[in-house]
Each structure stands twice: as structure tokens, then as C-alpha cells.
Amino acid sequence: MEYLDLERLSDEDELLRRNVHRLAEEVLRPISIKLDRMSPRDRIRPNSPIFEAIREMKKLGLHRIHLPRDRGGVGLTNLQRYIIDEELGWGSLGLATLIGVDAIPFTVAAMFGSERVREEVVKPWLEDVEGRYIGCWGVTEPEHGSDYILAFRDKDVESFGRGNVVIERDGDEWVIYGQKSAWVSAAPICTHMGLHAQLKDGKSLREGAFVIVPLNKLGVRKGEPVDMLGNRDCPQGPVFFDGVRVPEDYVIALSPFYEVFSDQLLNITSVNMGAFSVGLARAAFEEALNYAKTRVQGGRPIIEHKNIKLKIYEMFEKIVTARHYVVKAMDYTYNKFFQLSFDAAPRYARTAQIYAKKIAFEVVNNALQIFGAYGLSSEFIIEKLFRDARALLIEDGTVEALSLDAADDVIQNYK
Ligand SMILES: Cc1cc2nc3c(=O)[nH]c(=O)nc-3n(C[C@H](O)[C@H](O)[C@H](O)COP(=O)(O)OP(=O)(O)OC[C@H]3O[C@@H](n4cnc5c(N)ncnc54)[C@H](O)[C@@H]3O)c2cc1C
């Protein structure tokens, strides 16, 4: 397996890559295949293999990769962050997503939370190798999906309406009401949510708050886990809030900081989604390359037919160009994040996510074509990769909404 062909990997990078690849190949991929075939309820039962996958990822410290060392991180370079993500995406898009959203509330709390929040919430999570603490990211609402991507840069933000989850101050506590949609990744098994909520007296989605909500609080209810086409290895479900009270300092970002905070948070998730997408594309490419060398039609291995050769080359071209760009965009975005400058240009991170998602879908689609009818059969993993790549085009923002948002940033800010 060639990897990051144009980057120079140090011995340390190479060792890290091998270790994470081993986890992806020997643990995550087999578990993801099992989860993919289970019912939504069985996937989240205490004996579900999902908890083994979480434990193994936490043992390697993969939940802590987004933090600098002085905030509890494991001292990675940005290239090493990329390497981990690509391997996770190679092993299982769902489990990569799961460990990604797990980190959101806790990473934000570690970077911006008070001493008390860091002690009460972040410390136990940092030290956890059992999967006792699992985070999720509550953005999407029944009435607001793409709105959360598009409203913030729109001149007429009020036309997008108000959020479905509302938060209001009551003395030295905050109280939360409303519902997050069924698409919240990891919600059915998580213990804490990084919640985006509308301020009660705010006029638009822009006037909101990012809150850490421990989900064992009175008034929290989780709905039925949903059955999806792809990304089935990461359970999804709705969460309801009925007068849920959190202490004052669990509100980590409040309007007007909330606005720039949300924009920059989407930068971080975008470069990570980009890296997962390259990993997923590489998985499909390697499956197709191996298959094409052994499948004989027309009296010779199909790899010798020119149409197949061209497809293989085009897949390779897409993966190496996407990888190169996502590595650079990730480096830029994390450097800005750690400087706390809050000025990473969204167009670069969004492009990483949009481009890599698009090529992932194209690569997996072509890979499936190379398999012929076998590609549609559950006997081969390509069928699962295809469903996962389809989900990618919607997860963390549809490619259309992300592209419109990036377009606005280019039009308003490109000099
Ligand atoms: C696998 C997966 C994992 C997810 N994980 C999470 C998670 O962890 N947390 C979370 O909060 N959410 C999560 N989501 C939800 C995801 O972020 C939303 O599905 C996504 O943002 C789109 O919102 P929507 O589904 O409501 O579609 P809608 O916003 O209703 O969009 C429907 C269609 O209309 C288009 N559209 C919408 N508005 C506009 C507009 N203004 N202009 C032009 N076109 C528009 C869209 O591009 C799309 O094609 C996940 C989704 C998936 C599939």
C-alpha cells in the first residue's frame, strides 16, 4: 500500500500510520461490517460490538487528537492528525464519524471552558479508555438542516427563522427546551452533547449558544435510533430537551462570539470529513484494483482492458489530488485553531470537505462498476462503501449547502 506518496513521512509518522491502519483493518472494519447488518436497536445494546470499537480507539488516544498537548492532546503534528483520519476513514466511515463527534463537546470545553468545566467534564473524558464518556454534536433540527450552514453568512438571516432548541438564562443556570433531529451521530449511545441552541430572545439562528449538556440531566429524552442507508456503523437518533438545566459555565460560546465560533468549528469538522472521505475512497480503490487483477473476462484479467485501466488511473488521480489538498487545508485550519485567531478562511476548509466528498463518491461508484454484479452483492464490502459514500454527500452539510456557503465566502472575502 502506497501512502502519502508526495509527503515525506518520518519514522514516527510511519509507525503511527501502521498502528492506526492495523486497528482499522483488524478491529474497526470487521466490527463496522457487523454493525452494518444489525438492527438500529441491536447496534446500541450493551453487548454491541460498537463498544469494543470505541474502547480500542480510546485506548490509542484517538479521541484526543484535536487538542494541543497543553490541553490534554497527545502531541501530534497536523500531518499525523491527517494520517489518523485517513486510516479511520479507510476502516469505517461510521466509526470515524463516531470518534470525530465524540471529540466535539470535550475538545471545545478543553479549549474554551472554565477551570471547573475542564475538571468536571473534560478530565474524565481525557482519561477514559473504557468508553464511559461519549460525545455527540447537536446541530440539525427538524426545521433547520442546511440553514445551519447557510444562515450565518446570509444578509437576510432572519428569513431562516428561529431555532427549534431554545435556551434561556434563569439565575445562575441556563434552561433548554426543544428537539434536535434524528440525524445526530452517536446520540443513542452518547453521554454528552455539544449543543447549538437559539437564545430565547435572539432574533435569528446567529444569536445562539454552544452548550455542553450532560445527557443524564433531568428533562433529557432520547428517541428511537433510526435506520439509515449508509453510515449504519454510527447510530443516529433524536434528542429532546424539556426544561434541562445546566450551570452557567457549561455555556461555552455565547452570541456574538457564537457566530464566529460556529463558523470556525465547521472548518475543523470540514477538514476532518475531507480526510475521512479520502480514506473511504482509498479503501474502494484498493478493493477495485485487487479485484480487477484477478477477475477474468474476454479471456484475460479485466485490468488489461483499456476502459478498466483508465478507470483505475482516474481513481488514483482523484485520491492523490484530494489527499494533497486536504493535508494542506488541515494544516492551515489547525494552525489557526491553536493560535485562537478565529480567522481561518472558511472557503479553504469547506473546499477540502466538498472536493474530497465528491471524489469519494465518484471513486466508489467507479469501483463498484469494476466489480460488475458482484459489486451490488453484500458478499463484497464495495456495496457498503458505496452506501457510506452516498451518506457522505449529506453528512456535516450537503455538498450543495457547503458549496453555496463557500461561494459566499469567496464572493465576499477573496482579494
Ligand atoms: C450520516 C449523517 C450523519 C450526520 N450527523 C449529524 C450530527 O452528528 N449532528 C447533526 O447535528 N447533524 C448530523 N447530520 C445531519 C446533517 O448535517 C444534515 O442532514 C444536513 O446538514 C442537511 O440537512 P437536512 O437533512 O435537514 O436537509 P435539508 O436542509 O432539508 O436539505 C434538503 C435539500 O435541499 C437543499 N437545500 C436546503 N436549503 C437550501 C438552500 N437554502 N439553498 C439551496 N439548497 C438548499 C439541500 O442541499 C438538500 O439537497 C448527519 C447526517 C447524516 C446523513
Side-chain angles (χ1 to χ4, degrees):
M1 175 190 53
E2 286 182 11
Y3 187 75
L4 283 172
D5 347 357
L6 302 180
E7 302 288 339
R8 288 223 184 98
L9 295 197
S10 66
D11 290 348
E12 206 182 319
D13 297 339
E14 186 54 32
L15 184 65
L16 175 80
R17 185 188 72 75
R18 276 172 206 251
N19 284 340
V20 183
H21 185 74
R22 194 175 310 122
L23 176 82
E25 186 169 35
E26 295 174 9
V27 180
L28 303 185
R29 190 178 273 190
I31 287 180
S32 82
I33 293 169
K34 278 189 204 156
L35 291 168
D36 184 53
R37 294 173 184 176
M38 289 165 73
S39 74
R41 280 200 177 183
D42 285 346
R43 267 180 252 152
I44 62 170
R45 288 191 204 285
N47 63 351
S48 164
I50 199 163
F51 297 107
E52 184 192 340
I54 294 170
R55 275 193 299 275
E56 293 301 324
M57 288 192 282
K58 295 223 171 197
K59 271 191 215 155
L60 269 190
L62 301 186
H63 56 308
R64 295 193 275 139
I65 68 170
H66 311 284
L67 286 167
R69 200 192 280 280
D70 64 358
R71 292 284 157 150
V74 280
L76 298 173
T77 64
N78 293 333
L79 178 60
Q80 289 170 341
R81 291 190 170 86
Y82 176 86
I83 289 170
I84 290 171
D85 273 2
E86 185 179 317
E87 291 307 328
L88 292 176
W90 183 95
S92 157
L93 177 68
L95 295 172
T97 301
L98 194 152
I99 199 73
V101 295
D102 164 54
I104 291 176
F106 300 102
T107 298
V108 168
M111 294 297 287
F112 309 111
S114 66
E115 196 73 35
R116 170 182 161 192
V117 170
R118 296 215 297 271
E119 194 58 32
E120 277 180 14
V121 177
V122 180
K123 194 161 174 270
W125 172 80
L126 284 173
E127 292 167 356
D128 179 27
V129 289
E130 298 294 325
R132 292 173 59 215
Y133 304 98
I134 301 170
C136 70
W137 189 28
V139 191
T140 313
E141 299 175 341
E143 291 167 26
H144 300 289
S146 305
D147 289 358
Y148 265 105
I149 310 277
L150 291 166
F152 286 53
R153 233 177 297 285
D154 198 286
K155 288 192 186 77
D156 190 13
V157 59
E158 286 178 27
S159 66
F160 288 79
R162 287 166 41 80
N164 301 139
V165 173
V166 171
I167 186 164
E168 78 176 309
R169 193 192 281 272
D170 183 21
D172 55 3
E173 288 184 320
W174 288 81
V175 194
I176 307 161
Y177 293 91
Q179 180 194 346
K180 285 294 168 185
S181 78
W183 325 132
V184 176
S185 297
I189 56 166
C190 72
T191 58
H192 291 72
M193 178 183 278
L195 172 78
H196 290 250
Q198 164 82 69
L199 290 181
K200 176 96 185 291
D201 51 4
K203 292 196 190 73
S204 71
L205 290 175
R206 236 184 241 165
E207 294 174 42
F210 182 90
V211 194
I212 306 296
V213 188
L215 296 178
N216 59 0
K217 292 264 177 204
L218 205 65
V220 174
R221 184 168 64 83
K222 292 183 181 179
E224 269 297 292
V226 286
D227 209 7
M228 304 290 275
L229 174 86
N231 231 352
R232 293 169 56 85
D233 26 0
C234 181
Q236 291 174 277
V239 182
F240 303 85
F241 302 89
D242 186 7
V244 178
R245 289 179 171 269
V246 291
E248 184 159 26
D249 51 1
Y250 280 44
V251 173
I252 307 285
L254 196 58
S255 179
F257 172 58
Y258 170 72
E259 201 180 318
V260 69
F261 165 86
S262 301
D263 206 19
Q264 295 289 317
L265 183 56
L266 189 59
N267 280 344
I268 295 284
T269 61
S270 287
V271 290
N272 284 283
M273 288 307 301
F276 295 160
S277 304
V278 177
L280 172 63
R282 193 185 103 219
F285 166 74
E286 289 172 0
E287 292 294 320
L289 181 62
N290 291 336
Y291 181 83
K293 285 179 181 171
T294 54
R295 171 73 173 166
V296 175
Q297 289 293 289
R300 60 184 72 175
I302 60 171
I303 194 94
E304 292 179 18
H305 297 305
K306 279 203 174 115
N307 55 327
I308 302 290
K309 268 190 192 176
L310 282 175
K311 272 199 169 58
I312 292 287
Y313 168 70
E314 282 164 9
M315 292 158 86
F316 171 81
E317 180 190 81
K318 288 182 166 123
I319 292 166
V320 294
T321 51
R323 173 186 292 146
H324 195 64
Y325 181 71
V326 178
V327 166
K328 300 294 169 203
M330 186 174 261
D331 191 41
Y332 164 78
T333 304
Y334 272 85
N335 285 341
K336 292 278 190 188
F337 177 49
F338 295 146
Q339 286 159 13
L340 300 180
S341 57
F342 301 104
D343 63 350
R347 52 192 176 276
Y348 296 113
R350 307 291 200 271
T351 300
Q353 163 155 216
I354 297 160
Y355 182 63
K357 280 173 160 184
K358 281 188 196 162
I359 70 99
F361 185 68
E362 290 161 9
V363 166
V364 180
N365 194 27
N366 273 334
L368 193 149
Q369 195 68 11
I370 288 175
F371 272 78
Y374 286 111
L376 299 172
S377 124
S378 57
E379 202 183 315
F380 291 89
I381 194 172
I382 207 76
E383 173 264 351
K384 174 181 183 296
L385 298 179
F386 180 78
R387 287 184 284 109
D388 289 345
R390 188 63 191 82
L392 257 186
L393 300 179
I394 296 171
E395 179 177 358
D396 201 32
T398 66
V399 284
E400 296 88 347
L402 291 164
S403 304
L404 287 168
D405 180 48
D408 284 342
D409 183 39
V410 170
I411 292 161
Q412 292 167 22
N413 300 314
Y414 183 86
K415 292 187 190 83

